[in-house]
Amino acid sequence: MSSPETSELKGGHPPAVKAGGMRVARAHHSTGEPKNEMTKEEEEEYGSSPPKPSKDAVVVSGVVAKEEKAYPPQAVKHYHEPHLPSKEMRPIQPKHAINQPK
């Protein structure tokens, strides 16, 4: 049997690999093309890449924000605590309906 590298491609990729009558998924390998780096002219025109957020930073709408500033501890605590009810709910007593003939 021929190896997948030497066999013809079907739909731009090698044919499915079968083991025991079932198809087996294989890991896809990247082509190894390097990333396109910006030239100096492009960097001047578009600017450099955005700053990488640190572990303690949060990205909100594309802007790096500090987590302590964005989510103060009091606000988080208030959000997670259950609110107190504004009215007191008393248990409803069931009505005892006595079915009697008229």
Side-chain angles (χ1 to χ4, degrees), residues 54-76:
S54 61
K55 291 182 180 179
D56 62 336
V58 178
V59 177
V60 179
S61 298
V63 178
V64 178
K66 298 290 183 191
E67 187 172 353
E68 292 82 25
K69 225 177 199 182
Y71 305 106
Q74 289 178 327
V76 173

Side-chain angles (χ1 to χ4, degrees), residues 1-12:
M1 197 175 227
S2 63
S3 66
E5 290 79 31
T6 59
S7 65
E8 67 180 60
L9 299 178
K10 294 186 178 184

Side-chain angles (χ1 to χ4, degrees), residues 30-90:
S30 64
T31 57
E33 295 177 7
K35 293 183 178 179
N36 295 336
E37 296 294 329
M38 293 191 337
T39 62
K40 287 190 176 192
E41 296 142 2
E42 290 175 339
E43 190 171 326
E44 288 174 3
E45 184 176 345
Y46 302 115
S48 61
S49 62
K52 302 288 183 198
S54 61
K55 291 182 180 179
D56 62 336
V58 178
V59 177
V60 179
S61 298
V63 178
V64 178
K66 298 290 183 191
E67 187 172 353
E68 292 82 25
K69 225 177 199 182
Y71 305 106
Q74 289 178 327
V76 173
K77 185 177 180 183
H78 177 73
Y79 181 78
H80 286 285
E81 286 180 351
H83 68 281
L84 296 174
S86 60
K87 297 180 181 178
E88 182 180 338
M89 299 292 289
R90 290 185 279 150

Side-chain angles (χ1 to χ4, degrees), residues 11-24:
H13 55 83
V17 176
K18 292 187 177 182
M22 298 184 68
R23 292 174 184 240
V24 178

